Protein backbone atom coordinates (compact mmCIF):
# COMPACT_ATOMS: atom_id res chain seq x y z
CA UNK A 1 0.00 0.00 0.00
CA UNK A 2 1.24 3.49 -0.77
CA UNK A 3 0.54 6.57 1.27
CA UNK A 4 0.83 10.12 -0.07
CA UNK A 5 1.51 13.07 2.20
CA UNK A 6 3.56 16.23 2.49
CA UNK A 7 7.10 16.49 3.80
CA UNK A 8 9.84 19.11 4.01
CA UNK A 9 12.52 17.82 1.65
CA UNK A 10 16.16 18.94 1.72
CA UNK A 11 17.64 18.34 -1.73
CA UNK A 12 21.05 19.91 -1.44
CA UNK A 13 23.32 21.55 1.12
CA UNK A 14 22.33 25.21 1.63
CA UNK A 15 18.99 24.57 -0.10
CA UNK A 16 15.76 25.54 1.66
CA UNK A 17 13.51 22.93 3.19
CA UNK A 18 10.86 22.60 0.47
CA UNK A 19 7.41 21.26 1.31
CA UNK A 20 6.60 18.65 -1.33
CA UNK A 21 4.25 15.77 -1.96
CA UNK A 22 5.99 12.49 -1.17
CA UNK A 23 4.99 8.84 -1.38
CA UNK A 24 5.65 6.13 1.19
CA UNK A 25 5.82 2.85 -0.68
CA UNK A 26 5.82 0.47 2.26
CA UNK A 27 3.99 -0.63 5.36
CA UNK A 28 5.93 -0.81 8.63
CA UNK A 29 8.31 -3.79 8.78
CA UNK A 30 8.75 -5.75 12.01
CA UNK A 31 10.17 -3.39 14.60
CA UNK A 32 8.77 -0.31 12.86
CA UNK A 33 5.80 1.98 13.48
CA UNK A 34 4.02 4.45 11.22
CA UNK A 35 3.36 7.67 13.12
CA UNK A 36 1.08 10.54 12.11
CA UNK A 37 3.22 13.50 13.11
CA UNK A 38 1.42 16.14 15.19
CA UNK A 39 4.44 18.40 15.70
CA UNK A 40 8.20 18.44 15.35
CA UNK A 41 10.89 20.62 16.87
CA UNK A 42 13.61 22.28 14.80
CA UNK A 43 17.04 21.47 16.24
CA UNK A 44 20.44 22.88 15.41
CA UNK A 45 21.44 19.45 14.14
CA UNK A 46 18.84 19.71 11.36
CA UNK A 47 20.29 23.09 10.41
CA UNK A 48 23.87 21.77 10.57
CA UNK A 49 23.05 19.37 7.74
CA UNK A 50 21.97 22.32 5.64
CA UNK A 51 25.32 23.98 6.35
CA UNK A 52 27.21 20.95 5.10
CA UNK A 53 28.42 20.21 8.62
CA UNK A 54 27.03 16.74 8.29
CA UNK A 55 27.62 14.26 5.54
CA UNK A 56 24.10 12.94 5.63
CA UNK A 57 22.76 11.49 2.40
CA UNK A 58 20.56 13.86 0.38
CA UNK A 59 17.89 14.31 -0.79
CA UNK A 60 16.38 13.59 2.58
CA UNK A 61 13.53 14.32 4.92
CA UNK A 62 15.11 15.54 8.18
CA UNK A 63 13.44 16.17 11.53
CA UNK A 64 14.42 14.34 14.71
CA UNK A 65 12.14 15.79 17.39
CA UNK A 66 8.84 14.40 16.18
CA UNK A 67 5.74 13.52 18.17
CA UNK A 68 2.40 12.12 17.11
CA UNK A 69 0.09 9.13 17.14
CA UNK A 70 0.83 5.59 15.94
CA UNK A 71 -1.39 4.65 12.97
CA UNK A 72 0.18 1.29 11.99
CA UNK A 73 2.58 -1.21 13.52
CA UNK A 74 4.83 -3.82 11.93
CA UNK A 75 4.72 -5.91 15.07
CA UNK A 76 7.79 -7.68 16.34
CA UNK A 77 10.18 -6.79 19.11
CA UNK A 78 9.71 -3.43 20.77
CA UNK A 79 6.29 -2.80 19.31
CA UNK A 80 4.27 -3.11 22.51
CA UNK A 81 3.57 0.52 21.63
CA UNK A 82 0.60 0.17 19.30
CA UNK A 83 -1.97 1.87 17.11
CA UNK A 84 -3.58 4.85 18.81
CA UNK A 85 -0.73 5.47 21.25
CA UNK A 86 0.76 8.96 21.53
CA UNK A 87 4.53 8.84 21.14
CA UNK A 88 7.57 11.10 21.29
CA UNK A 89 10.38 10.13 18.91
CA UNK A 90 14.03 10.25 19.85
CA UNK A 91 17.29 8.87 18.47
CA UNK A 92 17.65 5.38 17.02
CA UNK A 93 19.89 2.63 18.37
CA UNK A 94 20.76 -0.91 17.36
CA UNK A 95 19.56 -2.72 20.48
CA UNK A 96 22.25 -5.39 20.49
CA UNK A 97 25.68 -3.78 20.95
CA UNK A 98 27.26 -3.77 24.42
CA UNK A 99 26.11 -0.23 25.26
CA UNK A 100 22.54 -0.87 24.08
CA UNK A 101 22.44 -4.05 26.15
CA UNK A 102 23.82 -2.06 29.07
CA UNK A 103 20.88 0.40 28.99
CA UNK A 104 23.01 3.14 27.40
CA UNK A 105 21.58 3.35 23.86
CA UNK A 106 22.78 6.96 23.49
CA UNK A 107 26.27 5.44 23.23
CA UNK A 108 25.21 2.81 20.68
CA UNK A 109 28.15 1.61 18.58
CA UNK A 110 26.03 2.36 15.50
CA UNK A 111 24.76 5.76 16.66
CA UNK A 112 26.30 7.82 13.83
CA UNK A 113 25.47 5.25 11.18
CA UNK A 114 21.85 4.93 12.28
CA UNK A 115 21.11 8.57 13.04
CA UNK A 116 23.38 10.88 11.07
CA UNK A 117 24.61 8.90 8.11
CA UNK A 118 22.13 6.06 7.88
CA UNK A 119 18.83 5.88 6.15
CA UNK A 120 20.36 6.19 2.72
CA UNK A 121 17.75 6.34 -0.01
CA UNK A 122 17.06 2.91 -1.43
CA UNK A 123 15.98 1.69 -4.85
CA UNK A 124 13.17 0.88 -5.20
CA UNK A 125 12.43 3.71 -2.77
CA UNK A 126 10.63 3.19 0.51
CA UNK A 127 10.04 6.94 0.47
CA UNK A 128 9.99 8.75 -2.84
CA UNK A 129 9.17 12.16 -4.23
CA UNK A 130 6.33 12.90 -6.66
CA UNK A 131 8.58 11.88 -9.58
CA UNK A 132 9.50 8.54 -8.01
CA UNK A 133 13.02 9.59 -6.98
CA UNK A 134 14.15 8.02 -3.72
CA UNK A 135 14.48 10.14 -0.58
CA UNK A 136 16.52 9.20 2.49
CA UNK A 137 13.73 8.25 4.88
CA UNK A 138 15.28 7.52 8.29
CA UNK A 139 17.06 10.59 9.65
CA UNK A 140 17.50 9.75 13.36
CA UNK A 141 15.24 6.79 12.71
CA UNK A 142 12.26 9.06 12.08
CA UNK A 143 12.48 11.84 9.41
CA UNK A 144 9.68 13.69 11.16
CA UNK A 145 9.50 16.89 9.06
CA UNK A 146 6.54 15.18 7.42
CA UNK A 147 2.89 14.39 7.97
CA UNK A 148 3.79 10.71 8.51
CA UNK A 149 7.00 9.05 9.63
CA UNK A 150 8.12 5.45 9.42
CA UNK A 151 10.06 5.04 12.65
CA UNK A 152 12.03 2.49 14.60
CA UNK A 153 9.93 1.25 17.51
CA UNK A 154 13.07 1.56 19.63
CA UNK A 155 12.98 5.35 19.43
CA UNK A 156 9.23 5.78 20.06
CA UNK A 157 8.39 6.57 23.68
CA UNK A 158 4.75 6.27 24.68
CA UNK A 159 3.36 9.32 26.50
CA UNK A 160 0.15 10.21 28.34
CA UNK A 161 -2.55 10.71 25.66
CA UNK A 162 -4.04 13.55 27.73
CA UNK A 163 -0.97 15.67 27.02
CA UNK A 164 -0.85 17.99 23.95
CA UNK A 165 1.30 15.69 21.82
CA UNK A 166 1.91 18.37 19.19
CA UNK A 167 4.07 20.22 21.74
CA UNK A 168 6.11 17.28 23.02
CA UNK A 169 8.60 16.73 20.18
CA UNK A 170 11.51 18.65 21.78
CA UNK A 171 11.48 16.09 24.60
CA UNK A 172 13.09 13.75 22.06
CA UNK A 173 16.29 15.76 21.65
CA UNK A 174 16.54 19.26 23.13
CA UNK A 175 15.09 18.48 26.53
CA UNK A 176 16.97 15.25 27.07
CA UNK A 177 20.17 16.96 25.91
CA UNK A 178 19.84 19.87 28.35
CA UNK A 179 18.58 17.83 31.28
CA UNK A 180 21.03 15.02 30.60
CA UNK A 181 23.97 17.42 30.59
CA UNK A 182 23.09 18.63 34.10
CA UNK A 183 21.98 15.32 35.62
CA UNK A 184 24.28 12.79 33.96
CA UNK A 185 27.32 14.62 32.59
CA UNK A 186 27.86 17.36 35.20
CA UNK A 187 26.12 15.39 37.96
CA UNK A 188 25.21 18.78 39.41
CA UNK A 189 24.11 18.83 43.01
CA UNK A 190 22.77 21.42 45.49
CA UNK A 191 25.15 24.37 45.79
CA UNK A 192 27.04 23.70 42.56
CA UNK A 193 27.44 26.78 40.35
CA UNK A 194 25.93 26.45 36.89
CA UNK A 195 25.92 28.85 33.95
CA UNK A 196 23.43 28.22 31.14
CA UNK A 197 24.00 30.17 27.94
CA UNK A 198 20.88 30.38 25.80
CA UNK A 199 17.30 29.71 26.73
CA UNK A 200 15.95 27.50 23.98
CA UNK A 201 14.77 23.96 24.56
CA UNK A 202 18.25 22.76 25.61
CA UNK A 203 18.96 25.68 27.94
CA UNK A 204 15.55 25.73 29.59
CA UNK A 205 15.70 21.98 30.16
CA UNK A 206 19.09 22.45 31.81
CA UNK A 207 17.62 25.10 34.12
CA UNK A 208 14.63 22.89 34.97
CA UNK A 209 16.87 19.90 35.69
CA UNK A 210 19.20 22.02 37.82
CA UNK A 211 16.33 23.49 39.81
CA UNK A 212 15.22 20.00 40.74
CA UNK A 213 18.71 18.54 41.27
ZN1 LIG B 1 18.57 17.60 18.06
ZN1 LIG C 1 23.64 -0.33 19.88
Amino acid sequence: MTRRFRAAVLRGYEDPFAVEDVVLHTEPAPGELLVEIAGAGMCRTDLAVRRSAGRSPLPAVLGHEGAGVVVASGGGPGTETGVGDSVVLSFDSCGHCRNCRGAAPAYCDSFAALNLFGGRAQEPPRLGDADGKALAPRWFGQSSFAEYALVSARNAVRVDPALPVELLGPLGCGFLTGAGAVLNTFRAGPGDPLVVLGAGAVGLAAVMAASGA
Side-chain angles (χ1 to χ4, degrees), residues 169-198:
L171 287 169
C173 178
F175 275 67
L176 63 83
T177 300
V182 170
L183 300 176
N184 300 328
T185 306
F186 301 157
R187 299 180 196 271
D192 284 342
L194 179 73
V195 176
V196 176
L197 304 179

Side-chain angles (χ1 to χ4, degrees), residues 113-170:
L114 287 171
N115 292 288
L116 295 167
F117 309 127
R120 204 166 286 279
Q122 302 163 324
E123 294 289 352
R126 301 188 83 193
L127 183 68
D129 66 12
D131 297 325
K133 183 175 168 49
L135 304 170
R138 290 293 293 270
W139 169 249
F140 275 77
Q142 53 177 288
S143 289
S144 51
F145 287 165
E147 292 176 312
Y148 291 87
L150 190 62
V151 311
S152 165
R154 284 185 58 77
N155 63 0
V157 177
R158 190 164 38 190
V159 294
D160 184 342
L163 297 172
V165 71
E166 68 275 13
L167 300 180
L168 302 184

Side-chain angles (χ1 to χ4, degrees), residues 5-41:
F5 52 90
R6 289 178 301 166
V9 177
L10 183 66
R11 293 196 169 272
Y13 302 119
E14 313 266 345
D15 279 356
F17 292 102
V19 176
E20 300 181 13
D21 292 328
V22 299
V23 183
L24 183 67
H25 294 277
T26 182
E27 291 293 303
E32 291 181 337
L33 303 169
L34 183 65
V35 176
E36 183 173 7
I37 298 296

Side-chain angles (χ1 to χ4, degrees), residues 93-97 99-100 108-110:
S93 55
C94 79
H96 49 73
C97 71
N99 288 329
C100 281
C108 175
D109 288 351
S110 303

Side-chain angles (χ1 to χ4, degrees), residues 42-46 64-65 140 172-174 177:
M42 170 70 81
C43 174
R44 183 187 175 281
T45 307
D46 297 297
H64 65 286
E65 292 188 346
F140 275 77
C173 178
T177 300

